[in-house]
Amino acid sequence: MEHRFVFLAGLHRSGTTLLARLGWQGVAMIECKRDLATGRYVFMEVNGRLWGSLQLAIDAGVDFPALLVGCALGASVVPAASYRIGVRSRWFWGDVDHLYLRLRDGNGAGEGTGRLAAVRDFFRVRPGRDREEIWRWRDPGPFLLETLSRFGVRG
């Protein structure tokens, strides 16, 4: 495991060097893939935007947008030293799609196989660890809009 962290530190240095050479300022996500034949990691792309799994990071305790605003305002930003491990993000409509495909095809994924396992997996929720990607009690609008769109209702 220690070898992996040493490697990731090297990958981090390489990414930081790349962004510096580009004169990059602001948010960036560098995507890498591992070449299975050589074991080497190669850069795929640099995305100048916040990533799709952003809500998971926030739910785990690292609020990247707040850190970004702090940087933009010139505040002294302290990197997050801790976060909650084991938080899982679920996307309701994505899970519905997955359940449909498993029921339609009759195959399994996860611990069990078959349709019964698919239904069990769909309803398996770990309170305190599972967070819904879109639904928020304090702001239900995005989920409601997504749901209406899903049924062909345009706003």
Side-chain angles (χ1 to χ4, degrees):
M1 192 63 132
E2 186 175 315
H3 172 71
R4 181 175 179 203
F5 290 118
V6 169
F7 174 77
L8 290 176
L11 192 57
H12 179 266
R13 268 191 309 279
S14 297
T16 303
T17 300
L18 173 66
L19 294 176
R21 288 184 180 167
L22 292 172
W24 196 276
Q25 293 185 4
V27 174
M29 178 185 73
I30 299 174
E31 183 178 347
C32 301
K33 296 282 184 179
R34 184 168 169 255
D35 182 338
L36 295 177
T38 65
R40 287 184 45 224
Y41 283 82
V42 293
F43 288 109
M44 297 292 292
E45 62 183 345
V46 176
N47 288 305
R49 60 176 171 75
L50 295 169
W51 41 96
S53 58
L54 179 62
Q55 188 61 52
L56 176 59
I58 295 169
D59 290 343
V62 182
D63 191 341
F64 285 104
L67 292 170
L68 180 61
V69 168
C71 284
L73 295 176
S76 178
V77 177
V78 179
S82 65
Y83 49 88
R84 290 182 295 284
I85 296 173
V87 175
R88 185 172 74 160
S89 184
R90 296 187 69 176
W91 173 38
F92 177 77
W93 287 111
D95 287 348
V96 168
D97 287 344
H98 188 237
L99 174 63
Y100 166 74
L101 293 172
R102 287 181 65 190
L103 291 175
R104 183 192 70 188
D105 298 342
N107 61 7
E111 295 175 17
T113 60
R115 290 180 174 92
L116 185 58
V119 173
R120 181 200 64 217
D121 291 346
F122 178 79
F123 286 107
R124 180 178 290 156
V125 176
R126 301 176 306 176
R129 293 180 74 181
D130 288 354
R131 299 294 303 265
E132 172 55 42
E133 179 77 18
I134 307 295
W135 172 259
R136 300 295 158 147
W137 283 104
R138 68 181 182 272
D139 186 10
F143 179 82
L144 296 174
L145 183 63
E146 180 181 41
T147 299
L148 289 173
S149 176
R150 190 96 176 166
F151 289 102
V153 178
R154 301 286 176 212

